[in-house]
Coordinates of all heavy atoms in Angstrom, one line a residue:
F10 N 109.2 106.4 98.7 CA 108.1 105.4 98.7 C 107.5 105.3 97.3 O 107.6 106.2 96.5 CB 107.1 105.9 99.8 CG 107.6 105.7 101.2 CD1 108.2 106.7 101.9 CD2 107.5 104.4 101.8 CE1 108.7 106.5 103.1 CE2 107.9 104.2 103.1 CZ 108.5 105.2 103.7
N11 N 106.8 104.2 97.2 CA 106.1 103.9 95.9 C 104.9 104.8 95.8 O 104.1 105.0 96.7 CB 105.7 102.4 95.9 CG 105.2 102.0 94.6 OD1 104.4 102.6 94.0 ND2 105.9 100.9 94.1
S12 N 104.7 105.4 94.6 CA 103.6 106.3 94.4 C 102.2 105.6 94.3 O 101.3 106.3 94.3 CB 103.9 107.1 93.1 OG 104.0 106.3 92.0
E13 N 102.2 104.3 94.2 CA 101.0 103.5 94.1 C 100.2 103.4 95.4 O 99.1 103.0 95.4 CB 101.3 102.2 93.5 CG 101.7 102.2 92.0 CD 101.9 100.8 91.5 OE1 101.1 99.9 91.8 OE2 102.8 100.6 90.7
I14 N 100.9 103.6 96.5 CA 100.2 103.5 97.8 C 100.4 104.8 98.6 O 101.4 105.5 98.4 CB 100.7 102.3 98.6 CG1 102.2 102.5 99.0 CG2 100.5 101.0 97.9 CD1 102.7 101.5 100.0
A15 N 99.5 105.1 99.4 CA 99.5 106.3 100.3 C 100.2 105.8 101.6 O 99.9 104.8 102.2 CB 98.2 106.8 100.7
P16 N 101.3 106.5 102.1 CA 101.9 106.1 103.4 C 100.9 106.1 104.5 O 99.9 106.9 104.6 CB 102.9 107.3 103.6 CG 103.2 107.8 102.2 CD 101.9 107.7 101.5
S17 N 101.0 105.1 105.4 CA 100.2 104.9 106.5 C 100.9 104.3 107.7 O 102.0 103.9 107.5 CB 98.9 104.1 106.1 OG 99.3 102.7 106.2
P18 N 100.3 104.3 108.9 CA 101.0 103.6 110.0 C 101.3 102.1 109.7 O 102.2 101.6 110.4 CB 100.0 103.8 111.1 CG 99.2 105.0 110.8 CD 99.1 105.0 109.3
L19 N 100.6 101.5 108.8 CA 100.9 100.1 108.5 C 102.2 99.9 107.8 O 102.7 98.8 107.7 CB 99.7 99.5 107.6 CG 98.3 99.5 108.2 CD1 97.3 99.0 107.2 CD2 98.4 98.5 109.4
N20 N 102.8 101.0 107.4 CA 104.1 100.9 106.7 C 105.3 101.0 107.6 O 106.4 101.0 107.2 CB 104.3 102.1 105.7 CG 103.2 102.1 104.6 OD1 102.6 103.2 104.3 ND2 102.8 100.9 104.1
F21 N 105.0 101.1 108.9 CA 106.1 101.3 109.9 C 106.0 100.4 111.1 O 104.8 100.2 111.6 CB 106.2 102.7 110.3 CG 106.4 103.7 109.2 CD1 105.3 104.3 108.6 CD2 107.7 104.0 108.7 CE1 105.4 105.2 107.6 CE2 107.8 104.8 107.6 CZ 106.7 105.5 107.1
A22 N 107.1 100.0 111.7 CA 107.1 99.2 113.0 C 108.4 99.6 113.6 O 109.4 99.9 113.0 CB 107.0 97.7 112.8
C23 N 108.4 99.6 115.0 CA 109.6 100.0 115.7 C 109.8 99.0 116.8 O 108.8 98.5 117.4 CB 109.3 101.4 116.3 SG 110.8 102.2 117.0
T24 N 111.1 98.8 117.2 CA 111.4 97.9 118.3 C 111.0 98.6 119.6 O 110.8 99.8 119.6 CB 112.9 97.6 118.3 OG1 113.6 98.8 118.3 CG2 113.3 96.8 117.1
R25 N 110.8 97.8 120.6 CA 110.4 98.3 121.9 C 111.3 99.3 122.4 O 110.9 100.3 123.1 CB 110.3 97.1 122.9 CG 109.1 96.3 122.8 CD 109.1 95.3 123.9 NE 107.7 95.4 124.6 CZ 107.4 94.7 125.5 NH1 108.2 93.8 126.0 NH2 106.1 94.8 126.0
D26 N 112.6 99.1 122.2 CA 113.6 100.1 122.7 C 113.7 101.3 121.9 O 114.4 102.3 122.2 CB 115.0 99.4 122.9 CG 115.6 98.9 121.7 OD1 115.1 99.2 120.6 OD2 116.6 98.2 121.8
G27 N 113.0 101.3 120.7 CA 113.0 102.5 119.8 C 114.3 102.7 119.0 O 114.5 103.7 118.4
K28 N 115.2 101.7 119.0 CA 116.4 101.8 118.3 C 116.4 101.5 116.8 O 117.1 102.0 116.0 CB 117.5 100.9 118.9 CG 117.9 101.4 120.3 CD 119.0 100.5 120.9 CE 119.3 101.0 122.3 NZ 120.4 100.2 122.9
L29 N 115.4 100.6 116.4 CA 115.2 100.2 115.0 C 113.9 100.6 114.5 O 112.9 100.3 115.2 CB 115.5 98.8 114.8 CG 117.0 98.3 115.0 CD1 117.0 96.8 115.0 CD2 117.8 98.8 113.9
L30 N 113.8 101.1 113.3 CA 112.6 101.4 112.6 C 112.5 100.5 111.4 O 113.5 100.5 110.6 CB 112.5 102.8 112.2 CG 111.3 103.3 111.4 CD1 110.0 103.2 112.3 CD2 111.4 104.6 110.8
F31 N 111.4 99.8 111.2 CA 111.2 99.0 110.0 C 110.2 99.7 109.1 O 109.2 100.2 109.6 CB 110.6 97.6 110.4 CG 111.4 96.8 111.4 CD1 111.3 96.9 112.7 CD2 112.4 96.0 110.9 CE1 112.1 96.2 113.6 CE2 113.3 95.3 111.7 CZ 113.1 95.4 113.1
S32 N 110.5 99.7 107.8 CA 109.5 100.5 106.9 C 109.3 99.6 105.7 O 110.1 98.8 105.3 CB 110.2 101.8 106.5 OG 111.4 101.6 105.9
C33 N 108.2 99.9 105.1 CA 107.8 99.2 103.8 C 107.1 100.2 102.9 O 106.9 101.4 103.3 CB 106.9 98.0 104.1 SG 105.3 98.3 104.7
G34 N 106.8 99.8 101.7 CA 106.1 100.7 100.7 C 107.1 101.3 99.8 O 106.8 102.3 99.1
H35 N 108.3 100.8 99.7 CA 109.3 101.4 98.9 C 109.2 100.9 97.4 O 108.6 99.9 97.1 CB 110.7 100.9 99.4 CG 110.9 101.3 100.8 ND1 111.2 102.6 101.2 CD2 110.9 100.6 102.0 CE1 111.4 102.7 102.5 NE2 111.1 101.5 103.0
W36 N 109.7 101.8 96.6 CA 109.6 101.6 95.1 C 110.1 100.2 94.6 O 109.7 99.8 93.6 CB 110.2 102.7 94.4 CG 111.7 102.8 94.6 CD1 112.3 103.4 95.6 CD2 112.7 102.1 93.9 NE1 113.7 103.2 95.6 CE2 114.0 102.4 94.5 CE3 112.7 101.3 92.7 CZ2 115.2 102.0 94.0 CZ3 113.9 100.9 92.2 CH2 115.2 101.2 92.9
D37 N 111.1 99.7 95.3 CA 111.7 98.4 94.8 C 111.2 97.2 95.5 O 111.8 96.1 95.5 CB 113.3 98.5 95.1 CG 113.6 98.7 96.5 OD1 112.7 98.9 97.4 OD2 114.8 98.7 96.8
N38 N 110.0 97.3 96.1 CA 109.3 96.1 96.7 C 110.1 95.5 97.9 O 109.9 94.3 98.2 CB 109.0 94.9 95.6 CG 108.2 95.4 94.5 OD1 107.5 96.5 94.6 ND2 108.3 94.7 93.4
S39 N 110.8 96.4 98.5 CA 111.6 96.0 99.7 C 111.0 96.4 101.0 O 110.0 97.2 101.0 CB 113.0 96.6 99.6 OG 113.0 97.9 99.7
F40 N 111.5 95.9 102.1 CA 111.3 96.5 103.4 C 112.7 96.7 104.0 O 113.7 96.1 103.6 CB 110.4 95.7 104.3 CG 110.9 94.3 104.6 CD1 111.5 94.0 105.8 CD2 110.6 93.2 103.8 CE1 111.9 92.8 106.2 CE2 111.0 92.0 104.1 CZ 111.7 91.7 105.3
R41 N 112.8 97.7 104.8 CA 114.1 98.2 105.3 C 114.1 98.3 106.8 O 113.1 98.6 107.4 CB 114.4 99.5 104.6 CG 114.4 99.4 103.1 CD 114.6 100.7 102.4 NE 114.4 100.5 101.0 CZ 114.6 101.4 100.1 NH1 115.0 102.6 100.4 NH2 114.5 101.2 98.8
T42 N 115.3 98.3 107.3 CA 115.5 98.5 108.7 C 116.5 99.7 108.9 O 117.5 99.7 108.1 CB 116.2 97.3 109.4 OG1 115.4 96.2 109.2 CG2 116.3 97.5 110.9
S43 N 116.2 100.6 109.7 CA 117.0 101.8 109.9 C 117.2 102.1 111.4 O 116.4 101.8 112.2 CB 116.4 103.1 109.3 OG 116.2 102.9 107.9
W44 N 118.4 102.6 111.7 CA 118.7 103.0 113.1 C 118.1 104.3 113.3 O 118.2 105.3 112.5 CB 120.2 103.1 113.3 CG 121.0 101.8 113.1 CD1 121.7 101.4 112.1 CD2 121.0 100.7 114.1 NE1 122.2 100.1 112.3 CE2 121.7 99.7 113.5 CE3 120.4 100.5 115.4 CZ2 122.0 98.5 114.2 CZ3 120.6 99.3 116.0 CH2 121.4 98.3 115.4
T45 N 117.3 104.5 114.4 CA 116.6 105.7 114.6 C 117.5 106.8 115.1 O 117.2 108.0 114.9 CB 115.5 105.6 115.7 OG1 116.1 105.0 116.9 CG2 114.4 104.6 115.1
D46 N 118.6 106.5 115.7 CA 119.5 107.6 116.2 C 120.3 108.3 115.1 O 120.7 109.4 115.3 CB 120.5 107.1 117.3 CG 121.4 106.0 116.8 OD1 121.2 105.5 115.7 OD2 122.3 105.6 117.6
S47 N 120.5 107.6 114.0 CA 121.3 108.1 112.9 C 120.6 108.2 111.6 O 121.0 108.8 110.7 CB 122.6 107.3 112.7 OG 122.2 106.0 112.3
A48 N 119.4 107.5 111.5 CA 118.6 107.4 110.3 C 119.4 106.6 109.2 O 119.0 106.6 108.1 CB 118.2 108.7 109.7
K49 N 120.5 105.9 109.5 CA 121.2 105.1 108.6 C 120.5 103.7 108.4 O 120.0 103.1 109.4 CB 122.7 104.9 109.1 CG 123.5 106.1 109.0 CD 124.9 105.9 109.3 CE 125.7 107.1 109.2 NZ 127.1 106.9 109.5
Q50 N 120.5 103.3 107.2 CA 119.9 102.0 106.9 C 120.8 100.9 107.4 O 122.0 100.8 107.2 CB 119.8 101.9 105.4 CG 119.0 100.6 104.9 CD 118.7 100.7 103.5 OE1 118.0 101.5 103.0 NE2 119.3 99.8 102.7
A51 N 120.1 100.0 108.1 CA 120.8 98.8 108.7 C 120.7 97.6 107.8 O 121.6 96.7 107.7 CB 120.3 98.5 110.1
Q52 N 119.5 97.5 107.1 CA 119.2 96.3 106.3 C 118.2 96.7 105.2 O 117.3 97.5 105.4 CB 118.7 95.2 107.2 CG 118.7 93.8 106.6 CD 118.4 92.8 107.6 OE1 117.8 93.0 108.6 NE2 118.9 91.6 107.3
H53 N 118.3 96.0 104.1 CA 117.4 96.2 102.9 C 117.1 94.8 102.5 O 118.0 94.1 102.0 CB 118.2 97.0 101.9 CG 117.5 97.2 100.6 ND1 117.6 96.3 99.6 CD2 116.6 98.2 100.2 CE1 116.8 96.7 98.6 NE2 116.2 97.8 99.0
I54 N 115.8 94.4 102.5 CA 115.4 93.1 102.1 C 114.3 93.3 101.0 O 113.3 93.8 101.2 CB 114.8 92.3 103.3 CG1 115.9 92.2 104.4 CG2 114.3 91.0 102.8 CD1 115.4 91.6 105.7
A55 N 114.6 92.6 99.8 CA 113.7 92.6 98.7 C 113.3 91.2 98.5 O 114.0 90.4 97.8 CB 114.4 93.2 97.4
A56 N 112.2 90.8 99.1 CA 111.8 89.4 99.1 C 110.4 89.2 98.5 O 109.9 88.1 98.4 CB 111.9 88.8 100.5
H57 N 109.7 90.3 98.1 CA 108.4 90.3 97.6 C 108.3 90.5 96.1 O 109.2 91.0 95.5 CB 107.5 91.3 98.3 CG 107.1 91.0 99.7 ND1 106.1 90.2 100.0 CD2 107.7 91.3 100.9 CE1 106.0 90.1 101.3 NE2 107.0 90.8 101.9
R58 N 107.2 90.0 95.5 CA 107.0 90.2 94.0 C 106.3 91.5 93.7 O 106.2 91.9 92.5 CB 106.2 89.0 93.5 CG 107.0 87.7 93.6 CD 106.1 86.6 93.1 NE 105.0 86.3 94.2 CZ 103.9 85.8 93.9 NH1 103.5 85.4 92.7 NH2 103.0 85.6 94.9
D59 N 105.8 92.1 94.8 CA 105.1 93.4 94.5 C 105.3 94.3 95.7 O 106.1 94.0 96.6 CB 103.6 93.1 94.3 CG 102.8 94.2 93.5 OD1 103.4 95.3 93.4 OD2 101.7 93.9 93.1
I60 N 104.6 95.5 95.7 CA 104.8 96.5 96.8 C 104.5 95.9 98.1 O 103.4 95.3 98.3 CB 103.9 97.7 96.5 CG1 104.2 98.3 95.1 CG2 104.1 98.7 97.6 CD1 103.1 99.2 94.7
V61 N 105.4 96.1 99.1 CA 105.2 95.6 100.4 C 104.3 96.7 101.1 O 104.6 97.8 101.1 CB 106.5 95.5 101.2 CG1 106.2 95.0 102.6 CG2 107.4 94.5 100.5
T62 N 103.0 96.3 101.5 CA 102.0 97.3 101.9 C 101.9 97.3 103.5 O 101.2 98.2 104.0 CB 100.7 96.9 101.3 OG1 100.3 95.6 101.6 CG2 100.8 97.1 99.8
C63 N 102.4 96.3 104.1 CA 102.2 96.3 105.6 C 103.4 95.6 106.3 O 104.0 94.7 105.7 CB 100.8 95.7 106.0 SG 100.6 94.0 105.4
I64 N 103.6 96.0 107.5 CA 104.7 95.4 108.3 C 104.3 95.4 109.7 O 103.7 96.4 110.2 CB 106.0 96.2 108.0 CG1 107.2 95.5 108.6 CG2 106.0 97.6 108.5 CD1 108.6 95.9 107.9
A65 N 104.7 94.4 110.5 CA 104.4 94.3 111.9 C 105.5 93.5 112.6 O 106.0 92.6 112.1 CB 103.0 93.6 112.1
L66 N 105.7 94.0 113.9 CA 106.7 93.3 114.7 C 106.0 92.8 115.9 O 105.2 93.5 116.6 CB 107.8 94.3 115.1 CG 109.0 93.8 115.9 CD1 109.8 92.8 115.1 CD2 109.8 95.0 116.4
S67 N 106.3 91.5 116.3 CA 105.6 90.9 117.5 C 106.1 91.7 118.7 O 107.1 92.3 118.8 CB 106.0 89.4 117.6 OG 107.4 89.3 117.8
E68 N 105.3 91.6 119.8 CA 105.5 92.3 121.0 C 106.9 91.9 121.6 O 107.5 92.7 122.2 CB 104.4 92.1 122.0 CG 103.2 92.9 121.8 CD 102.2 92.8 122.9 OE1 102.6 92.7 124.1 OE2 101.0 92.9 122.6
D69 N 107.3 90.7 121.5 CA 108.6 90.2 122.1 C 109.7 90.5 121.1 O 110.9 90.2 121.5 CB 108.5 88.7 122.4 CG 108.5 87.8 121.2 OD1 108.4 88.3 120.0 OD2 108.5 86.6 121.4
G70 N 109.5 91.1 119.9 CA 110.5 91.4 119.0 C 111.1 90.3 118.3 O 112.1 90.4 117.6
G71 N 110.5 89.1 118.4 CA 111.0 87.9 117.8 C 110.6 87.6 116.4 O 111.2 86.8 115.7
T72 N 109.5 88.2 115.9 CA 109.0 87.9 114.6 C 108.6 89.2 113.9 O 107.8 90.0 114.5 CB 107.8 87.0 114.7 OG1 108.1 85.8 115.4 CG2 107.3 86.6 113.3
L73 N 109.1 89.4 112.7 CA 108.7 90.5 111.8 C 107.9 89.9 110.7 O 108.4 88.9 110.0 CB 109.9 91.2 111.4 CG 109.6 92.4 110.4 CD1 109.1 93.6 111.2 CD2 110.9 92.8 109.7
V74 N 106.7 90.4 110.4 CA 105.9 89.9 109.3 C 105.6 91.0 108.3 O 105.3 92.2 108.7 CB 104.6 89.3 109.8 CG1 103.7 88.8 108.6 CG2 104.9 88.2 110.8
T75 N 105.7 90.8 107.0 CA 105.4 91.8 106.0 C 104.4 91.1 105.0 O 104.3 90.0 104.8 CB 106.7 92.2 105.2 OG1 107.2 91.0 104.6 CG2 107.7 92.8 106.1
G76 N 103.6 92.0 104.4 CA 102.7 91.5 103.3 C 102.7 92.5 102.2 O 103.1 93.6 102.3
S77 N 102.3 91.9 101.0 CA 102.4 92.7 99.8 C 101.0 92.7 99.1 O 100.1 92.0 99.5 CB 103.5 92.2 98.8 OG 103.0 91.0 98.2
K78 N 101.0 93.5 98.0 CA 99.8 93.6 97.2 C 99.3 92.3 96.6 O 98.1 92.1 96.3 CB 99.9 94.7 96.1 CG 99.9 96.1 96.6 CD 100.1 97.1 95.6 CE 98.9 97.2 94.6 NZ 99.0 98.2 93.7
V79 N 100.2 91.4 96.3 CA 99.9 90.2 95.6 C 99.6 89.1 96.7 O 99.6 87.9 96.3 CB 100.9 89.7 94.6 CG1 101.0 90.6 93.4 CG2 102.3 89.5 95.2
R80 N 99.4 89.5 97.9 CA 99.1 88.5 99.0 C 100.2 87.5 99.2 O 99.9 86.4 99.6 CB 97.8 87.9 98.7 CG 96.7 88.9 98.7 CD 95.3 88.2 98.4 NE 94.3 89.3 98.3 CZ 93.1 89.0 98.1 NH1 92.6 87.8 98.0 NH2 92.2 90.1 98.0
D81 N 101.4 87.9 99.0 CA 102.5 87.0 99.6 C 103.0 87.7 100.8 O 102.7 88.8 101.1 CB 103.6 86.8 98.5 CG 104.4 88.0 98.2 OD1 103.9 89.1 98.4 OD2 105.4 87.9 97.5
F82 N 103.7 86.9 101.7 CA 104.2 87.4 102.9 C 105.6 86.9 103.2 O 105.9 85.9 102.7 CB 103.2 87.2 104.0 CG 103.2 85.7 104.5 CD1 104.0 85.4 105.6 CD2 102.4 84.8 103.9 CE1 104.0 84.1 106.1 CE2 102.5 83.5 104.4 CZ 103.2 83.1 105.5
T83 N 106.3 87.6 104.1 CA 107.6 87.2 104.5 C 107.5 87.2 106.0 O 107.0 88.1 106.7 CB 108.7 88.2 104.0 OG1 108.6 88.2 102.6 CG2 110.0 87.7 104.5
E84 N 108.1 86.2 106.6 CA 108.2 86.1 108.1 C 109.7 86.0 108.4 O 110.4 85.2 107.9 CB 107.5 84.9 108.6 CG 107.5 84.8 110.1 CD 106.7 83.6 110.7 OE1 106.0 83.1 109.9 OE2 106.9 83.3 111.8
V85 N 110.2 86.9 109.3 CA 111.6 86.9 109.7 C 111.6 86.7 111.2 O 110.9 87.4 111.9 CB 112.3 88.3 109.4 CG1 113.7 88.2 109.9 CG2 112.2 88.6 107.9
R86 N 112.3 85.7 111.6 CA 112.3 85.4 113.1 C 113.7 85.7 113.6 O 114.7 85.1 113.1 CB 112.0 83.9 113.3 CG 110.6 83.6 113.1 CD 110.2 82.2 113.5 NE 108.9 81.9 113.2 CZ 107.9 81.9 114.1 NH1 108.2 82.2 115.4 NH2 106.7 81.7 113.8
D87 N 113.8 86.5 114.6 CA 115.0 87.0 115.2 C 114.7 87.8 116.4 O 113.5 87.9 116.7 CB 115.9 87.8 114.2 CG 117.3 87.8 114.5 OD1 117.7 87.3 115.6 OD2 118.1 88.3 113.8
R88 N 115.7 88.2 117.1 CA 115.4 89.2 118.2 C 115.9 90.5 117.8 O 117.1 90.7 117.6 CB 116.2 88.6 119.5 CG 115.6 87.4 120.0 CD 114.4 87.7 120.9 NE 113.9 86.5 121.4 CZ 112.7 86.4 121.9 NH1 111.9 87.4 121.9 NH2 112.2 85.3 122.4
Y89 N 115.0 91.4 117.7 CA 115.4 92.8 117.4 C 115.4 93.7 118.6 O 114.7 93.6 119.5 CB 114.4 93.4 116.3 CG 114.6 92.7 115.0 CD1 113.7 91.7 114.6 CD2 115.6 93.0 114.2 CE1 113.8 91.1 113.4 CE2 115.8 92.4 113.0 CZ 114.8 91.5 112.5 OH 114.9 90.8 111.4

């Protein structure tokens, strides 16, 4: 994780079934998706200009939203 921020619950989101974990706060300004059963990375997305500081998944699993220190955001729509 990036040393400029302290890890917090805002850095993580999980699918309802608990199979995927989304994380942010990484040194390369990315957010990532990992399989919880194996801890293997499923996806790595670097779409922000600065450290991604928060991540949230909608209740229906259809929208993932991330935000960064420079107040830009990414919205990913899919079914997780």
Side-chain angles (χ1 to χ4, degrees):
F10 286 93
N11 192 305
S12 62
E13 292 182 37
I14 63 168
S17 82
L19 295 175
N20 301 136
F21 302 95
C23 192
T24 57
R25 281 184 130 178
D26 61 10
K28 292 182 180 182
L29 289 171
L30 176 70
F31 302 93
S32 62
C33 67
H35 301 285
W36 63 272
D37 60 355
N38 302 339
S39 69
F40 61 96
R41 301 173 187 187
T42 306
S43 301
W44 296 104
T45 57
D46 61 351
S47 65
K49 289 186 179 180
Q50 185 173 294
Q52 198 169 25
H53 174 269
I54 300 170
H57 284 275
R58 295 175 288 155
D59 206 344
I60 303 165
V61 183
T62 56
C63 55
I64 192 164
L66 184 63
S67 64
E68 282 190 32
D69 69 358
T72 304
L73 179 75
V74 178
T75 61
S77 78
K78 287 180 68 175
V79 294
R80 297 183 184 177
D81 63 344
F82 74 96
T83 300
E84 180 179 348
V85 179
R86 290 183 181 262
D87 202 352
R88 290 278 179 202
Y89 291 103

